[in-house]
Amino acid sequence: MIERFIRDVPDFPKPGILFKDITPLLQDGPAFARCIEQLLAAVPPSSYDLICGIESRGFLFGAPLALRAGKGFVPIRKPGKLPYKSVSQSYDLEYGTDRIEIHVDAVAKGQRVLIVDDVLATGGTMNAAVKLVRQVGGTVVGTCFLMELSFLNGRQRLSDIAIHSLVKY
Ligand code: AMP
């Protein structure tokens, strides 16, 4: 179902990258709602206490999922965006390098965390997010994606973590 609402944009943001554009999905109310229901069904809410979403497209799915599951939401953000004391992690991206940050008090010790993003590509971003959540005392119980680009082997990078994805390419 979701595949119908994902638009392939060749050579964005760089030549050779086939960008998976989720804006047609967000634009369609019933499709967006079904997608959140599918994420909800993919991981039992009883298995986690908190959802972390990765800026920025992870927010678009993580926050509605948190609301739907009755859990809190924690933003993992690009550098310099979080106002309070933060810790950060650098990582390699499919197209470049970047850094992400989390507030030091975002997760209580031992809280079970589900981390959400839109696309699993090389796994670099999610791997950094997992490290951040662990660094601030959380237990990562799993990761959740709309899409997984299987040919980039992101799963190998996240070998010790449960991965749920709605669509595999
Ligand atoms: P990676 O760290 O390589 O797993 O890349 C994942 C991050 O980059 C996610 O936050 C995605 O939103 C974004 N991303 C990577 N590749 C693509 C792609 N082909 N289409 C859309 N987003 C992508």
Side-chain angles (χ1 to χ4, degrees):
M1 182 288 290
I2 286 171
E3 297 96 310
R4 284 202 289 127
F5 297 92
I6 305 297
R7 173 166 55 198
D8 284 349
V9 182
D11 301 319
F12 182 88
K14 282 186 179 174
I17 303 290
L18 183 64
F19 194 84
K20 296 290 185 185
D21 177 18
I22 49 141
T23 61
L25 174 69
L26 298 173
Q27 247 171 293
D28 188 287
F32 188 22
R34 276 204 302 279
C35 172
I36 299 303
E37 291 308 311
Q38 284 184 29
L39 291 172
L40 185 75
V43 192
S46 58
S47 69
Y48 56 90
D49 305 306
L50 205 59
I51 288 182
C52 283
I54 304 175
E55 184 170 358
S56 58
R57 276 165 277 141
F59 295 177
L60 299 171
F61 301 97
L65 178 61
L67 197 66
R68 182 68 182 79
K71 310 290 176 174
F73 178 80
V74 167
I76 291 179
R77 298 211 61 181
K78 302 273 166 65
K81 300 282 188 184
L82 288 169
Y84 186 62
K85 248 186 289 171
S86 306
V87 289
S88 79
Q89 277 285 339
S90 302
Y91 61 98
D92 294 324
L93 206 61
E94 193 185 355
Y95 36 84
T97 70
D98 216 338
R99 201 151 53 88
I100 50 175
E101 302 185 336
I102 193 170
H103 274 153
V104 290
D105 63 352
V107 181
K109 285 269 169 295
Q111 257 187 325
R112 301 166 303 162
V113 177
L114 175 69
I115 313 179
V116 178
D117 204 357
D118 64 336
V119 176
L120 172 61
T122 65
T125 310
M126 187 54 86
N127 192 41
V130 168
K131 285 184 187 162
L132 279 182
V133 170
R134 288 176 175 164
Q135 215 175 325
V136 296
T139 300
V140 178
V141 295
T143 61
C144 209
F145 303 88
L146 262 69
M147 288 166 272
E148 177 177 348
L149 309 181
S150 310
F151 55 93
L152 291 172
N153 295 320
R155 271 182 190 260
Q156 274 175 15
R157 199 120 169 219
L158 302 168
S159 52
D160 61 331
I161 303 220
I163 299 169
H164 308 272
S165 57
L166 300 185
V167 183
K168 292 186 181 67
Y169 292 98

